[in-house]
Amino acid sequence: MANHLKDQISPYLGQHSENPVDWYPWCTEAFKRAEDENKPVFLSIGYSTCHWCHVMAHESFENVEVASVLNKHFISVKVDREERPDIDNIYMSVCRAFTGSGGWPLSIFMTPQQKPFFAGTYFPPQAGRGMIGFKELLLRIHEAWMNDREELLSSADMLINALSDTEEAWGAEAPEPVKNAAERLKNSYDSEYGGFGAAPKFPSPHNLLFLMSYYQKSGDRYALEMAEKTLVQMYRGGIFDHIGYGFCRYSTDRRFLVPHFEKMLCDNAMLMIAYSRAFMLTNDRFYKDTAEKLAVYIKREMTSPDGGFYSAQDADSDGTEGKYYLMEPEEINAVLGRGAGEKFCAHYGITKDGNFEGKSIPNLLGSDYLSGTLDGYLDTVYKYRRRRLSLHRDDKILTSWNSLMTAAFCELYRAAGKAEYLAAAERAQRFIEKNLCVGSELFVSFRDGKTGEMGFIDDYSYYIYALLNLYDVTYNDIYLEKAWFLCKKSVSEFFDFIRGGFYLYGSSHEQLIMRPKDTYDGALPSGNSIMTYNLIKIFRLTDDADLKDIIKAQINFMCREASRYPESYTMFLTALMEYNDPPPVITAVIKDMSDIRGLALKTPAGSNVKIKYRPVGSYKLKNNMTTFYVCRNNHCMPPVNDLSDVL
């Protein structure tokens, strides 16, 4: 029997729409019923390609006996973390406060007034390995709700007050946060295998972008070496899908061999940017080739017919994590023939004993060659793998992640110079404009012709970032004007004019028990970090004096936030470096519109280029030809007709 999730557009909620649990989406009706029936609320948060979400669903939420306990004693609410990052952010902080860690599925028990009193992540159906069984937990919480409610309510109030105090805390700005972040990354760097810290290892491409920018600004060669080693080792390992391309979510081991096999659009977008930047910095074709392989994957498996990008692919096939990706020598020999098959297996580390549960994750950790030698066989093996098994795909289209991929295709276009990448970026932007944007209002998601929730700061910041990237590779004023317009909307809707910083959700959103500001650059850069970059970039291109005080307040706020752990704010610090040591401002006075075509490929990445379509004021044409005025650090060069004369 269908529950209250049957009409939801989220694929994750749809996966639970026929559970015996009487799930509600997050809605007034659920909390009203909890209050009327004097029951606590069980909140479960996850996403459609989450492996352990699937496990708990199969073990507990599809179990009639467990469902009967939930239905009798609780009101159960399901939330897709990608649709409601505001809810996820608040209750994930609750979970970390309770347990010291977090993750998905996120399990929260709270009052009908949304005040949490117990939290955790995955619970097994029966007790084991030091964990309480889920059914037993439900019964204990029900008993406490009936007999010790005052204690539960008191602990809930204390927790909310403590978390609210943390949100309001101000740190002292630390000196030299950029240098300190670089030193801390050096201290945690794995010089043997690349990456930072111990397993599990996340790609965290914004850390690599920071190191590349730090090298450019400081000349610190070791910063570039850390970034390059990590980019190479991630590609060599099993975290990269050598058969069908694309990076998985993270590596469970130090060597980047064994991934968590889920693939997400946002990770691949940030990695496409990182590999493209590495090529532009080093001119090493390996980085461009890797970025182009990511483009092949995205265009082949993650692009909708209308040009939007799907969200993710599942780690599981036939209920087994990683099964889709694992190979055995005999099946490769059967597909390619024994001679070619043996060469292929030797090159990609596919052995009889395997490297993961008796089978092999293809990798290049033991190969002398990164690519090229056996690429001709990849298409045959890829097609075989597609016939053999299938992957579940989360086909919702998210504004924030689509914006990141739009920006990534812009970066790849600048690196590779191929028009198809610019076309993919512009097509995705048109998709967002048509389906996820109404005037100045953005929405979180689109699926089956329906839009999701009102947009959050990540949606606005990432989309503005995409528009600015599109402007940088086209110099089409429409993109800059749209970015400027949405920047003003973001400031009015999300900015804290008293303390600085952007709230996660806006003044027009549903007001929850807290109003957090997401500042930490975790698996992805925070909306606050990206907005810092956006504000600086728009100010440099428009000279909008109204942004000056906002930028100053934002930088002061973020410097305080980054004071204790600057290495966790690398995207913000990259923007800060651009603020303190800005790239050149190039004013181009255009003689002929055809001169704009290809101009972006001749200007340095990150430059601030202002286009004037006719002579204006002191900006004249020299020799009656398109003319460039280049200024940097309060110093301007004489006007030239050829940019290479001054760059």
Side-chain angles (χ1 to χ4, degrees):
M1 181 180 294
N3 50 41
H4 301 274
L5 303 181
K6 60 185 178 65
D7 295 323
Q8 298 295 305
I9 68 169
S10 161
Y12 176 64
L13 299 190
Q15 289 170 355
H16 295 270
S17 62
E18 296 188 2
N19 288 168
V21 178
D22 188 20
W23 292 113
Y24 282 85
W26 183 278
C27 61
T28 302
E29 180 186 354
F31 295 104
K32 178 67 164 56
R33 183 181 163 196
E35 189 168 11
D36 290 345
E37 297 182 14
N38 193 25
K39 292 178 179 178
V41 172
F42 169 60
L43 171 65
S44 175
I45 304 176
Y47 56 102
S48 76
T49 56
C50 165
H51 171 70
W52 285 102
C53 299
H54 297 331
V55 173
M56 191 168 178
H58 177 67
E59 292 176 342
S60 295
F61 304 147
E62 296 172 9
N63 183 303
V64 174
E65 187 176 346
V66 173
S68 67
V69 177
L70 275 170
N71 295 342
K72 182 177 181 180
H73 298 306
F74 300 86
I75 301 300
S76 300
V77 174
K78 260 288 175 195
V79 166
D80 183 336
R81 65 172 291 259
E82 294 164 359
E83 294 272 0
R84 291 299 303 263
D86 53 338
I87 298 170
D88 179 63
N89 180 286
I90 289 171
Y91 292 103
M92 186 61 73
S93 68
V94 167
C95 183
R96 291 193 179 106
F98 266 107
T99 68
S101 63
W104 298 277
L106 181 58
S107 302
I108 301 289
F109 294 88
M110 58 185 178
T111 72
Q113 292 74 39
Q114 304 173 10
K115 295 180 178 181
F117 56 80
F118 189 82
T121 54
Y122 163 79
F123 293 99
Q126 287 86 35
R129 295 175 297 181
M131 300 177 70
I132 189 173
F134 187 57
K135 182 181 174 183
E136 181 185 355
L137 175 65
L138 294 176
L139 293 173
R140 284 195 188 183
I141 288 177
H142 166 65
E143 182 180 355
W145 179 259
M146 299 306 295
N147 300 321
D148 299 304
R149 189 173 312 178
E150 289 303 317
E151 184 176 344
L152 292 181
L153 296 179
S154 176
S155 66
D157 287 335
M158 289 176 61
L159 177 66
I160 292 169
N161 290 335
L163 290 173
S164 297
D165 289 343
T166 301
E167 287 292 329
E168 299 299 327
W170 280 34
E173 181 178 335
E176 299 186 327
V178 172
K179 184 177 180 180
N180 288 344
E183 291 302 316
R184 286 174 179 249
L185 287 172
K186 289 178 184 178
N187 292 337
S188 65
Y189 175 59
D190 184 340
S191 59
E192 185 174 2
Y193 294 114
F196 303 89
K201 283 184 177 176
F202 283 79
S204 300
H206 44 281
N207 289 348
L208 309 181
L209 293 170
F210 165 78
L211 289 169
M212 287 187 272
S213 292
Y214 185 71
Y215 160 72
Q216 288 181 287
K217 301 292 185 184
S218 70
D220 186 337
R221 183 75 193 180
Y222 192 55
L224 178 60
E225 289 176 9
M226 288 191 290
E228 287 201 78
K229 173 83 171 184
T230 301
L231 288 168
V232 170
Q233 289 301 113
M234 287 193 301
Y235 175 84
R236 295 178 76 104
I239 191 176
F240 181 74
D241 176 7
H242 292 274
I243 307 302
Y245 306 151
F247 280 92
C248 295
R249 186 70 167 139
Y250 61 85
S251 175
T252 63
D253 68 302
R254 181 185 168 198
R255 301 172 61 207
F256 289 110
L257 171 63
V258 180
H260 174 48
F261 292 91
E262 172 188 19
K263 287 181 184 174
M264 304 191 81
L265 179 72
C266 52
D267 299 323
N268 283 279
M270 290 298 297
L271 285 161
M272 189 187 292
I273 293 172
Y275 281 96
S276 297
R277 293 265 185 97
F279 169 73
M280 288 186 279
L281 190 57
T282 67
N283 207 35
D284 185 335
R285 281 197 56 185
F286 160 73
Y287 300 115
K288 178 170 71 71
D289 291 346
T290 303
E292 291 199 85
K293 287 179 178 179
L294 296 183
V296 169
Y297 162 67
I298 294 299
K299 294 176 77 173
R300 183 164 59 185
E301 297 195 30
M302 299 295 285
T303 303
S304 75
D306 295 329
F309 304 114
Y310 301 126
S311 293
Q313 287 177 317
D314 211 326
D316 296 9
S317 294
D318 291 349
T320 302
E321 183 179 10
K323 185 176 181 180
Y324 176 84
Y325 297 100
L326 302 178
M327 312 295 291
E328 294 181 287
E330 286 308 310
E331 62 181 330
I332 298 297
N333 293 340
V335 172
L336 298 179
R338 185 159 296 276
E342 289 178 351
K343 291 180 182 178
F344 189 93
C345 289
H347 183 63
Y348 287 106
I350 301 170
T351 65
K352 182 179 179 181
D353 293 333
N355 54 34
F356 181 75
E357 298 182 354
K359 296 185 179 181
S360 294
I361 305 164
N363 70 91
L364 293 175
L365 291 171
S367 176
D368 294 331
Y369 304 97
L370 290 181
S371 63
T373 55
L374 293 168
D375 285 358
Y377 297 116
L378 288 176
D379 188 57
T380 301
V381 177
Y382 171 76
K383 289 177 179 176
Y384 159 74
R385 192 178 71 175
R386 295 270 292 194
R387 293 193 303 269
R388 185 186 66 169
L389 286 169
S390 62
L391 287 174
H392 163 71
R393 181 173 63 197
D394 183 336
D395 61 356
K396 72 174 177 295
I397 295 173
L398 294 168
T399 298
S400 57
W401 295 3
N402 269 249
S403 299
L404 279 181
M405 186 54 72
T406 299
F409 271 113
C410 291
E411 294 270 5
L412 182 53
Y413 168 66
R414 187 184 281 278
K418 295 181 181 178
E420 65 182 278
Y421 302 137
L422 176 57
E426 293 196 299
R427 191 166 176 242
Q429 188 275 331
R430 290 194 297 271
F431 181 95
I432 294 173
E433 202 68 21
K434 177 182 177 182
N435 299 292
L436 288 155
C437 184
V438 178
S440 64
E441 189 75 55
L442 292 177
F443 296 89
V444 171
S445 63
F446 179 85
R447 183 172 183 262
D448 291 342
K450 300 176 183 176
T451 54
E453 302 288 336
M454 293 169 57
F456 299 94
I457 190 59
D458 285 4
D459 300 295
Y460 283 86
S461 62
Y462 286 3
Y463 186 44
I464 294 167
Y465 181 72
L467 291 165
L468 291 172
N469 273 269
L470 279 163
Y471 175 77
D472 274 349
V473 294
T474 64
Y475 301 130
N476 184 336
D477 284 343
I478 291 175
Y479 297 130
L480 177 57
E481 290 166 3
K482 183 73 174 177
W484 192 4
F485 175 68
L486 289 174
C487 184
K488 293 177 181 177
K489 163 68 183 287
S490 301
V491 169
S492 66
E493 182 73 14
F494 297 94
F495 193 66
D496 181 347
F497 288 91
I498 298 174
R499 298 178 179 86
F502 289 83
Y503 291 111
L504 176 56
Y505 63 84
S507 55
S508 300
H509 282 78
E510 174 188 3
Q511 302 300 297
L512 303 173
I513 59 170
M514 293 186 293
R515 196 178 179 196
K517 296 172 187 170
D518 193 12
T519 60
Y520 167 79
D521 296 327
L524 289 176
S526 71
N528 268 285
S529 291
I530 296 292
M531 276 305 297
T532 307
Y533 168 87
N534 293 340
L535 287 164
I536 295 167
K537 179 79 171 178
I538 291 171
F539 173 71
R540 293 258 161 80
L541 291 172
T542 65
D543 299 314
D544 183 350
D546 291 341
L547 295 180
K548 271 189 173 182
D549 289 342
I550 300 295
I551 292 170
K552 184 178 179 180
Q554 177 68 5
I555 288 176
N556 289 342
F557 167 77
M558 288 296 287
C559 282
R560 291 192 299 269
E561 289 288 304
S563 60
R564 292 180 62 192
Y565 303 106
E567 73 277 20
S568 298
Y569 292 81
T570 52
M571 197 70 186
F572 160 68
L573 295 176
T574 302
L576 183 63
M577 283 190 282
E578 294 294 300
Y579 180 76
N580 291 330
D581 183 16
V585 175
I586 302 169
T587 303
V589 186
I590 303 299
K591 163 68 174 177
D592 191 308
M593 290 298 292
S594 63
D595 291 342
I596 293 181
R597 289 196 291 271
L599 176 60
L601 303 182
K602 300 175 185 177
T603 57
S607 298
N608 298 306
V609 180
K610 303 176 181 179
I611 303 295
K612 298 188 182 298
Y613 295 99
R614 63 183 184 277
V616 178
S618 59
Y619 294 105
K620 310 293 186 184
L621 290 176
K622 179 181 179 180
N623 302 324
N624 200 33
M625 298 167 59
T626 289
T627 303
F628 302 97
Y629 295 77
V630 180
C631 299
R632 186 176 187 183
N633 294 329
N634 301 315
H635 174 71
C636 296
M637 303 294 291
V640 295
N641 299 123
D642 186 346
L643 268 176
S644 62
D645 291 344
V646 293
L647 295 178

Coordinates of all heavy atoms in Angstrom, one line a residue, residues 5 60 93 210 237 305 317 344 405 490 506 518 567 589 620:
L5 N 4.3 9.3 0.4 CA 5.4 9.7 -0.5 C 5.1 9.5 -2.0 O 5.9 9.8 -2.9 CB 6.7 8.9 -0.2 CG 7.2 9.1 1.3 CD1 8.4 8.3 1.4 CD2 7.4 10.5 1.7
S60 N 15.0 -2.7 7.6 CA 14.1 -2.2 8.6 C 12.8 -1.6 8.0 O 11.7 -1.9 8.4 CB 14.8 -1.2 9.5 OG 15.8 -1.8 10.2
S93 N 24.2 18.4 12.1 CA 24.9 19.1 13.3 C 24.4 18.5 14.6 O 25.2 18.3 15.5 CB 24.8 20.6 13.2 OG 23.4 21.0 13.5
F210 N 43.2 25.1 -4.7 CA 43.9 26.1 -3.8 C 45.4 25.9 -3.9 O 46.1 27.0 -4.0 CB 43.5 25.8 -2.4 CG 44.3 26.4 -1.3 CD1 44.2 27.8 -1.0 CD2 45.3 25.7 -0.7 CE1 45.0 28.4 -0.1 CE2 46.1 26.3 0.3 CZ 46.0 27.6 0.6
G237 N 44.3 5.0 -9.8 CA 43.6 4.1 -8.9 C 42.3 3.7 -9.4 O 41.8 4.1 -10.4
P305 N 18.2 14.4 -22.4 CA 17.9 14.8 -23.8 C 17.9 16.4 -24.0 O 18.2 16.9 -25.1 CB 16.6 14.2 -24.2 CG 16.5 13.0 -23.3 CD 17.2 13.4 -22.0
S317 N 24.6 -2.8 -7.7 CA 23.9 -3.5 -8.8 C 23.5 -4.9 -8.3 O 24.3 -5.6 -7.6 CB 24.9 -3.7 -10.0 OG 25.2 -2.5 -10.6
F344 N 45.3 -6.8 -21.8 CA 44.4 -5.9 -21.2 C 44.4 -6.1 -19.6 O 44.4 -5.1 -18.9 CB 43.0 -6.1 -21.8 CG 42.0 -5.0 -21.3 CD1 41.8 -3.9 -22.1 CD2 41.2 -5.2 -20.2 CE1 40.9 -2.9 -21.7 CE2 40.3 -4.2 -19.8 CZ 40.1 -3.1 -20.6
M405 N 28.7 21.7 -13.1 CA 29.1 21.1 -14.4 C 29.1 22.0 -15.5 O 30.0 21.9 -16.4 CB 28.2 19.9 -14.7 CG 28.6 19.0 -15.9 SD 30.3 18.4 -15.8 CE 30.2 17.2 -14.5
S490 N 20.6 37.5 -4.0 CA 21.2 36.6 -2.9 C 21.6 37.4 -1.7 O 21.4 37.0 -0.6 CB 22.5 35.9 -3.5 OG 22.2 35.1 -4.6
G506 N 16.9 31.2 2.9 CA 16.6 32.7 2.8 C 15.4 33.1 3.7 O 14.8 32.3 4.4
D518 N 26.4 27.8 6.3 CA 27.3 26.7 5.9 C 28.6 27.3 5.3 O 28.6 28.0 4.3 CB 26.6 25.8 4.8 CG 27.3 24.5 4.6 OD1 28.2 24.2 5.4 OD2 27.0 23.8 3.6
E567 N 42.7 25.0 6.6 CA 42.8 24.0 5.5 C 41.4 23.5 5.1 O 41.2 22.8 4.1 CB 43.7 22.9 5.9 CG 43.2 21.9 7.0 CD 43.4 22.4 8.4 OE1 43.6 23.6 8.6 OE2 43.3 21.6 9.3
V589 N 38.3 47.2 -26.3 CA 37.4 48.1 -27.1 C 37.3 47.4 -28.5 O 38.3 47.3 -29.2 CB 38.0 49.5 -27.2 CG1 37.0 50.4 -28.0 CG2 38.3 50.1 -25.8
K620 N 39.9 54.5 -26.4 CA 39.9 54.7 -27.8 C 40.4 53.5 -28.6 O 41.0 52.6 -28.0 CB 40.8 55.9 -28.1 CG 40.5 57.2 -27.3 CD 39.2 57.8 -27.6 CE 39.0 59.1 -26.8 NZ 37.7 59.7 -27.0

